[in-house]
Amino acid sequence: MDILIRQAEPGEYETLGEITAQAYVQDGLLAFGESDWYLAELKDVAKRAAAAEVLVATENDTILGGVTFVPAGGPMADIARPSEAEIRMLAVAHEARGRGAGEALVRACVDRARATDGCVRVVLSTQRTMHAAHRIYERLGFVRVPERDWNPIPELDDITLLTYELTL
């Protein structure tokens, strides 16, 4: 399979937004009271693209998935510190899973981080149940940093996002 990773084009934003939202919904990742507003965030690729770099994985002009790469200090960063880049909203369409698109997207983000002056680390947040994603991260050398785990919705005690990092 020839998967191409490139910057998302405006005409693809709606499709990528739907893929991202459906991946989170179908995987049961929006069951913690934030589903309405976060679902809108997942679908709003144009907003992300204005503040970060949105990449897509394609095969034969079909979008398989996407990811948001946030260089250090970018407005889309949730947890990145100075000299760190962040990976956000990685999603692959259900029918395209297991074919390498997710790993290719993560590798592209790591490559971009390495090409960013002063960037020494890549960080990301993930939910406990995202086991396939955890395997990708660990295979690529990311390690868990539990001291950086965090809760995006403090009023809900049971939502702790796990943090992974890769030192470049």
Side-chain angles (χ1 to χ4, degrees):
M1 172 166 79
D2 286 334
I3 296 175
L4 173 67
I5 306 298
R6 60 171 172 74
Q7 194 155 340
E9 298 170 2
E12 299 168 326
Y13 291 173
E14 185 175 347
T15 299
L16 181 57
E18 278 304 314
I19 288 171
T20 306
Q22 285 307 307
Y24 278 65
V25 168
Q26 291 171 357
D27 289 349
L29 303 174
L30 295 176
F32 42 84
E34 61 155 39
S35 56
D36 290 340
W37 73 265
Y38 198 62
L39 193 58
E41 287 292 306
L42 293 170
K43 288 182 177 184
D44 196 349
V45 177
K47 178 181 175 184
R48 292 199 300 277
E53 188 173 358
V54 177
L55 304 176
V56 290
T58 65
E59 180 186 39
N60 300 325
D61 296 324
T62 299
I63 297 174
L64 306 177
V67 69
T68 301
F69 173 73
V70 185
M76 286 285 302
D78 274 337
I79 62 169
R81 297 173 180 161
S83 75
E84 294 179 337
E86 188 168 341
I87 296 173
R88 297 204 49 210
M89 299 178 187
L90 173 67
V92 175
H94 270 259
E95 63 275 11
R97 291 190 178 177
R99 294 165 41 196
E103 183 170 332
L105 286 161
V106 174
R107 284 183 185 278
C109 290
V110 170
D111 290 344
R112 279 165 170 71
R114 285 192 170 113
T116 301
D117 285 342
C119 187
V120 300
R121 190 172 300 109
V122 180
V123 295
L124 61 89
S125 300
T126 181
Q127 293 185 32
R128 294 184 188 281
T129 57
M130 295 176 160
H131 303 296
H134 301 168
R135 286 190 295 276
I136 291 170
Y137 305 142
E138 291 165 6
R139 188 166 52 248
L140 295 178
F142 283 80
V143 295
R144 280 273 298 116
V145 281
E147 64 274 13
R148 290 185 70 176
D149 292 353
W150 65 291
N151 183 339
I153 309 172
E155 57 272 15
L156 297 177
D157 293 333
D158 58 343
I159 306 306
T160 297
L161 296 179
L162 309 180
T163 300
Y164 279 79
E165 69 179 26
L166 174 69
T167 300
L168 303 174

